[in-house]
Amino acid sequence: MRTARSALDYARILAALLGPDWTADSCGHSDLALLNGPAMSLEVATPTPVRASGAVKVSLSHTHAFVWPRRGDQRHEVIGTIGDPQVVADAILTTGLPAWTRLLADLSVRTDRTLSALKAFMTMAEQLAGAEAQVAYGSVPGVADLRWPGGRATLRADDEGGIRIAHLDLSDLTASTFVNVLRTVSGTEVLANAANTTAS
C-alpha cells in the first residue's frame, strides 16, 4: 500500500479501509484531517513531513453540540504509524468506536441535563428581571444571556445543573441585588459561584 502524503491523504486511506459509510475532509492543514463516520467525526493528526515511520493519532473530534466541562473526560485515542493504516483502521473498529460511542452517549445525557437546567432557570430569572427582559441562548450548550434595561448577565450551567454567573454588567442595579435575585431562583449554587462575578 502506498504511503500517504498528508493527513487528508491518510484519512482517505482509512476511510476506504473502514467502509463506504466513511469519508475524509480537509481541515486546511497538511497535518490534520477529519474522518467522518455514520455517527461521529474523528480527527486524524500526522507529523509534517509525512513519513512511513511517522506516528499518526486518531481521536474523537470536539463538537460544539455537546457540553465538555470535565478535563478528566477520557477521549480515547488510536495510535499507529503512517506506513500501516490497516492496523490503525482495525484499532478504530475494535477499540476506538466502542469508547467514542460510550463517551458520546454520556455527553448527550449531560448536555440534555444542562440545557434543561439552564432553560428552567432562565425562564424564572426572566420573569424576575421584568417584562422587558430578554433571554438569548448561545451557540455553545449551557450558555445564555439575560438582558434587561438595567444590565446584562451571562450565565453558564454545568452538566450537574449548577448555575453560575460568567459575566455581569450593571447600570442601575447593584451586583448584590442581582445575585440575591439569582439566589432566590436557584438556591445557594449561584451565590457560591458569585465571587467570580465582574460588574461594571
Side-chain angles (χ1 to χ4, degrees):
M1 182 176 290
R2 66 180 179 83
T3 300
R5 297 182 178 180
S6 66
L8 177 57
D9 195 18
Y10 189 83
R12 286 173 175 157
I13 294 173
L14 287 179
L17 292 172
L18 291 171
D21 293 331
W22 291 83
T23 60
D25 288 319
S26 172
C27 288
H29 302 281
S30 62
D31 59 352
L32 188 65
L34 288 179
L35 181 62
N36 301 308
M40 66 185 66
S41 182
L42 308 176
E43 290 183 356
V44 178
T46 61
T48 302
V50 175
R51 296 188 177 91
S53 59
V56 61
K57 180 174 67 176
V58 181
S59 56
L60 185 66
S61 177
H62 181 93
T63 169
H64 291 298
F66 293 122
V67 174
W68 295 71
R70 297 177 184 170
R71 294 182 181 274
D73 275 332
Q74 296 299 311
R75 303 189 201 179
H76 181 82
E77 295 176 345
V78 169
I79 307 292
T81 61
I82 301 296
D84 201 346
Q86 184 64 61
V87 170
V88 175
D90 291 343
I92 289 173
L93 291 174
T94 57
T95 62
L97 288 182
W100 294 322
T101 299
R102 287 192 299 270
L103 177 56
L104 287 175
D106 181 50
L107 292 176
S108 180
V109 171
R110 287 158 49 181
T111 300
D112 288 345
R113 185 165 56 235
T114 296
L115 291 176
S116 177
L118 184 65
K119 288 181 178 180
F121 175 84
M122 294 303 278
T123 296
M124 293 184 286
E126 184 180 19
Q127 293 172 351
L128 289 176
E132 298 182 58
Q134 295 180 338
V135 172
Y137 293 95
S139 58
V140 179
V143 180
D145 281 334
L146 175 64
R147 296 175 182 267
W148 68 98
R152 167 181 172 244
T154 300
L155 304 175
R156 296 179 182 269
D158 61 32
D159 61 339
E160 299 298 332
I163 308 292
R164 68 181 178 86
I165 306 170
H167 185 76
L168 182 61
D169 291 316
L170 301 165
S171 59
D172 61 1
L173 188 66
T174 67
S176 60
T177 299
F178 187 77
V179 169
N180 285 336
V181 170
L182 297 183
R183 183 186 181 195
T184 300
V185 174
S186 66
T188 58
E189 183 68 25
V190 170
L191 187 62
N193 289 302
N196 295 324
T197 302
T198 60
S200 60

